[in-house]
Amino acid sequence: MFGLDAVRTRLAELAESARTECLSFIPGGAQLPDTMESSKPLEQLALERGVVLRAIYQDSFRNDAATLEYVRWLESLGGETRTVPALPMLMVLVDREVALVPIDPDDGRRGALELRSYGVVAALHVLFERFWATAQPWHELDQPDDRGLTRRDRELLLQPATGHTDENIGRKLGLSLRTVRRNASALMERLQARSGFEAGVLAARAGWL
């Protein structure tokens, strides 16, 4: 299906027909207020039917007051939400039978693919559960570990090693370019690295990743 409107229509249809569970990855920046408001009635009806709703957002959503309010509303009805520093793409899984994923992971506005292959949907379900297991509930803060590293720090160290530019990293993590460069610079200084790629290599050798 092509275009954002077509995707929204199909998501509404799937929410209405869901029987057991609806799982989602929600990457990117803050959600649009009208998008959240339009989804509330469908999600409330699904939860009242006993459908399990679990959603994983990016940590960057924690800085958006409207999204926080929406999450509190969802959790008050029984929905479950957690956050991670980065997500691979937008994804919705319904009843372990159907998945919606973007045609272009870098531009969700282009449209989505509806997948019903059992093997593919099962694999995406495993992917969701892996992220869910390491995701943090909204009330928990991203505290530094015994090495003084937050989850975001580790993502910043991993991204350059996979060829991402500062601009791409910012989009992926929902951070400003200035924030990416400031935090990356601090990590490079700690590791005495001359580049982001070298910082990732040195971090791996030091057991930080």
Side-chain angles (χ1 to χ4, degrees):
M1 65 202 75
F2 297 96
L4 193 56
D5 289 341
V7 174
R8 286 176 174 170
T9 298
R10 185 59 181 138
L11 284 172
E13 293 170 350
L14 290 171
E16 290 178 342
S17 64
R19 303 184 308 277
T20 58
E21 69 175 9
C22 184
L23 315 177
S24 55
F25 284 166
I26 307 175
Q31 288 188 289
L32 295 174
D34 62 334
T35 299
M36 291 186 285
E37 285 301 318
S38 64
S39 65
K40 278 185 175 181
L42 293 171
E43 290 173 336
Q44 183 169 354
L45 287 173
L47 287 165
E48 289 173 351
R49 295 199 310 271
V51 175
V52 173
L53 296 185
R54 288 190 289 160
I56 303 178
Y57 293 77
Q58 288 192 200
D59 287 343
S60 56
F61 280 100
R62 292 172 178 263
N63 301 320
D64 182 67
T67 303
L68 284 172
E69 182 181 350
Y70 171 77
V71 165
R72 292 190 186 101
W73 170 84
L74 187 63
E75 291 189 337
S76 72
L77 297 179
E80 300 177 65
T81 58
R82 296 182 182 182
T83 70
V84 294
L87 288 166
M89 60 184 173
L90 178 67
M91 181 178 75
V92 177
L93 300 173
V94 179
D95 295 338
R96 304 196 188 191
E97 295 175 355
V98 57
L100 286 188
V101 297
I103 293 173
D104 180 355
D106 294 325
D107 186 2
R109 295 170 298 181
R110 291 188 57 192
L113 298 173
E114 183 169 327
L115 308 174
R116 290 184 174 271
S117 166
Y118 175 78
V120 172
V121 174
L124 291 174
H125 188 271
V126 170
L127 178 66
F128 178 90
E129 294 295 352
R130 290 288 178 88
F131 272 83
W132 184 262
T134 60
Q136 285 185 319
W138 284 76
H139 63 272
E140 294 183 7
L141 299 177
D142 188 11
Q143 298 289 353
D145 61 16
D146 55 1
R147 296 184 176 89
L149 297 171
T150 64
R151 298 187 307 161
R152 189 173 73 179
D153 290 335
R154 286 191 288 274
E155 283 294 331
L156 284 170
L157 288 167
L158 283 168
Q159 295 302 320
T162 56
H164 290 291
T165 65
D166 289 346
E167 290 81 2
N168 288 337
I169 293 170
R171 286 194 294 270
K172 189 175 179 64
L173 301 185
L175 302 173
S176 69
L177 181 59
R178 181 179 180 181
T179 299
V180 170
R181 288 178 171 168
R182 183 179 66 249
N183 291 356
S185 178
L187 291 168
M188 288 167 57
E189 184 175 350
R190 284 185 61 186
L191 290 159
Q192 296 184 332
R194 291 166 293 182
S195 68
F197 180 83
E198 184 181 12
V201 172
L202 292 174
R205 288 177 181 172
W208 289 14
L209 302 177

